[in-house]
């Protein structure tokens, strides 16, 4: 079953604008990751934030994490047409020993950046 | 290309047939995951290998599904007696656990899209 929800489900913006996507999850986590998926293709890892971190930056990406609210946000600044894709947050509860770090994904936000 | 590769990229089969997919992980990664993604949904975990050992299986993995990872390198996922509900994208990911930090970035392959007629 899905861990949580991304919000909004779909977002359409003009090139150059900022895009903000939110993710909520249900259970305690170890790490939260954001992935991008172009139509019909595999997932590309964007950024990982640990449960004891509150904010992380990578290029035009800014991720925040609020574990008290069980939510995260992904901000893409100065968007480009090439950013058009679906964006997923994924959480893991961490493993112990040989335990897996299986990811639990939300349903994704479909971002359209209009040139 | 040193990323995760999957073959075939597309598979169309008739209901009742068996299909097998292959995943080649990043060479130094000892962990390998299979996920399934249906239209409009996020990927869902199916199973996980550490080296050659299959350590976890989701309830989604019915008896018709079997996965192997001989010698801890590539992995295969076989679906027997396929059903129309098996139509989905099957994604493979590999990773290497980052020691004491407990960080694990999973790198995904391009997926195999299965259509069962």
């Amino acid at each position: 079953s899905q861990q949580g929800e991304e919000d909004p489900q779909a977002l359409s913006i003009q090139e150059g604008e900022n895009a903000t996507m939110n993710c909520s999850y249900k259970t305690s986590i170890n790490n939260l990751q954001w992935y991008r998926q172009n139509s019909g293709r595999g997932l590309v890892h964007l950024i990982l934030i640990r449960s004891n971190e509150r904010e992380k930056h990578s290029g035009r990406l800014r991720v925040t994490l609020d574990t008290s609210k069980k939510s995260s946000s992904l901000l893409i600044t100065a968007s480009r047409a090439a950013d058009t894709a679906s964006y997923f947050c994924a959480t893991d509860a961490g493993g112990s020993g040989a335990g897996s770090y299986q990811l639990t994904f939300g349903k994704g936000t479909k971002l359209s950046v209009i040139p | 290309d040193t990323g995760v590769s999957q073959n075939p990229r597309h598979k169309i089969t008739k209901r009742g047939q068996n299909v097998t997919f292959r995943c080649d992980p990043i060479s130094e990664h000892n962990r390998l995951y299979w996920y399934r993604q249906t239209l409009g949904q996020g990927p869902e975990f199916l199973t996980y290998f550490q080296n050659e050992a299959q350590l976890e299986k989701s309830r989604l993995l019915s008896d018709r599904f079997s996965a192997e990872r001989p010698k801890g390198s590539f992995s295969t996922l076989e679906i027997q007696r396929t059903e129309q509900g098996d139509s989905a994208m099957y994604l493979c990911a590999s990773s290497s656990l980052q020691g004491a930090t407990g960080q694990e970035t999973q790198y995904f392959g391009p997926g195999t899209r299965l259509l069962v007629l």
Side-chain angles (χ1 to χ4, degrees):
Chain A
S1 62
Q2 308 284 225
Q3 161 75 293
E5 297 285 336
E6 281 89 343
D7 168 48
Q9 290 187 354
L11 178 62
S12 183
I13 59 173
Q14 295 288 330
E15 201 165 30
E17 293 180 341
N18 295 342
T20 300
M21 290 160 267
N22 302 297
C23 163
S24 61
Y25 56 91
K26 297 174 184 172
T27 60
S28 296
I29 64 168
N30 186 47
N31 300 306
L32 185 143
Q33 305 182 51
W34 285 89
Y35 284 85
R36 183 186 74 215
Q37 185 177 39
N38 290 82
S39 181
R41 299 196 175 182
L43 291 102
V44 173
H45 181 260
L46 296 176
I47 195 165
L48 179 150
I49 186 166
R50 290 184 284 175
S51 59
N52 62 355
E53 296 177 316
R54 292 295 166 257
E55 188 170 314
K56 205 159 182 181
H57 297 255
S58 176
R60 293 184 296 113
L61 306 179
R62 174 181 169 243
V63 168
T64 62
L65 179 64
D66 186 336
T67 52
S68 66
K69 294 182 180 176
K70 291 188 168 60
S71 67
S72 173
S73 68
L74 171 67
L75 168 68
I76 304 174
T77 60
S79 64
R80 304 166 182 169
D83 294 329
T84 295
S86 290
Y87 291 82
F88 294 91
C89 71
T91 58
D92 75 73
S96 57
S100 82
Y101 284 68
Q102 61 170 276
L103 295 176
T104 305
F105 287 82
K107 293 185 179 181
T109 291
K110 195 165 185 177
L111 173 66
S112 298
V113 181
I114 303 164
Chain B
D1 189 339
T2 56
V4 179
S5 61
Q6 292 186 246
N7 288 288
R9 294 291 306 277
H10 303 273
K11 179 71 178 178
I12 300 174
T13 191
K14 291 183 180 177
R15 190 176 52 188
Q17 298 293 305
N18 299 344
V19 294
T20 300
F21 311 139
R22 176 177 170 130
C23 170
D24 287 89
I26 293 170
S27 58
E28 63 267 26
H29 285 179
N30 62 345
R31 292 170 170 233
L32 188 148
Y33 297 79
W34 284 98
Y35 293 84
R36 182 174 70 187
Q37 184 180 24
T38 53
L39 205 60
Q41 302 292 316
E44 292 179 293
F45 170 76
L46 292 178
T47 190
Y48 151 71
F49 289 85
Q50 176 153 304
N51 301 313
E52 68 277 6
Q54 187 175 16
L55 297 182
E56 276 188 48
K57 284 196 247 186
S58 160
R59 292 173 196 168
L60 293 175
L61 215 65
S62 76
D63 291 345
R64 297 184 297 106
F65 287 68
S66 63
E68 293 182 344
R69 193 183 182 198
K71 302 177 184 177
S73 55
F74 70 91
S75 176
T76 57
L77 178 67
E78 181 183 15
I79 308 174
Q80 296 182 325
R81 304 180 303 282
T82 52
E83 301 173 355
Q84 287 182 326
D86 297 332
S87 295
M89 173 85 91
Y90 290 84
L91 293 160
C92 174
S94 72
S95 70
S96 180
L97 184 62
Q98 298 300 309
T101 64
Q103 289 187 30
E104 179 176 285
T105 296
Q106 294 184 25
Y107 296 90
F108 283 78
T112 294
R113 186 172 292 282
L114 172 66
L115 177 61
V116 182
L117 301 175

